[in-house]
Amino acid sequence: MSAASEILVIILSVFLAFFLILAIILTIYLIILTRQIRKVTKSAESTFDNLGSIVERINNVTSPMIVASMIKKYAKKFKKATEEKEE
């Protein structure tokens, strides 16, 4: 083998080793990142579930209040209408 081809092989092997090490480091960071993403999604999911139960409880409380306010409004209208008829 000539000297030029030996130098070329050495240069290529150095670059190959460099990119191999870089790929290993990036793979490790990717694994760490996916674990952190899983933790965040689990936290967000539990928060969403808790928020859903809170909204459901509020909805259970406000529904009777809305119905009561509607009945009160129609009762006032009916009372005004009957008072106007009496006059």
Side-chain angles (χ1 to χ4, degrees), residues 52-72:
S53 66
I54 290 170
V55 168
E56 184 177 330
R57 289 178 190 160
I58 290 171
N59 193 18
N60 289 339
V61 170
T62 57
S63 292
M65 290 172 48
I66 292 172
V67 171
S69 67
M70 288 175 54
I71 291 172
K72 184 178 175 182

Side-chain angles (χ1 to χ4, degrees), residues 37-54:
I37 289 172
R38 281 186 191 145
K39 287 180 184 177
V40 169
T41 54
K42 284 182 182 179
S43 174
E45 184 177 339
S46 67
T47 303
F48 181 75
D49 289 341
N50 291 337
L51 184 65
S53 66
I54 290 170

Side-chain angles (χ1 to χ4, degrees), residues 9-62:
V9 168
I10 291 171
I11 291 172
L12 288 176
S13 63
V14 168
F15 276 111
L16 180 63
F18 173 73
F19 284 118
L20 182 63
I21 292 171
L22 186 65
I24 290 170
I25 292 171
L26 289 176
T27 303
I28 291 170
Y29 280 130
L30 183 64
I31 291 170
I32 292 170
L33 181 67
T34 55
R35 286 183 181 170
Q36 289 176 348
I37 289 172
R38 281 186 191 145
K39 287 180 184 177
V40 169
T41 54
K42 284 182 182 179
S43 174
E45 184 177 339
S46 67
T47 303
F48 181 75
D49 289 341
N50 291 337
L51 184 65
S53 66
I54 290 170
V55 168
E56 184 177 330
R57 289 178 190 160
I58 290 171
N59 193 18
N60 289 339
V61 170
T62 57

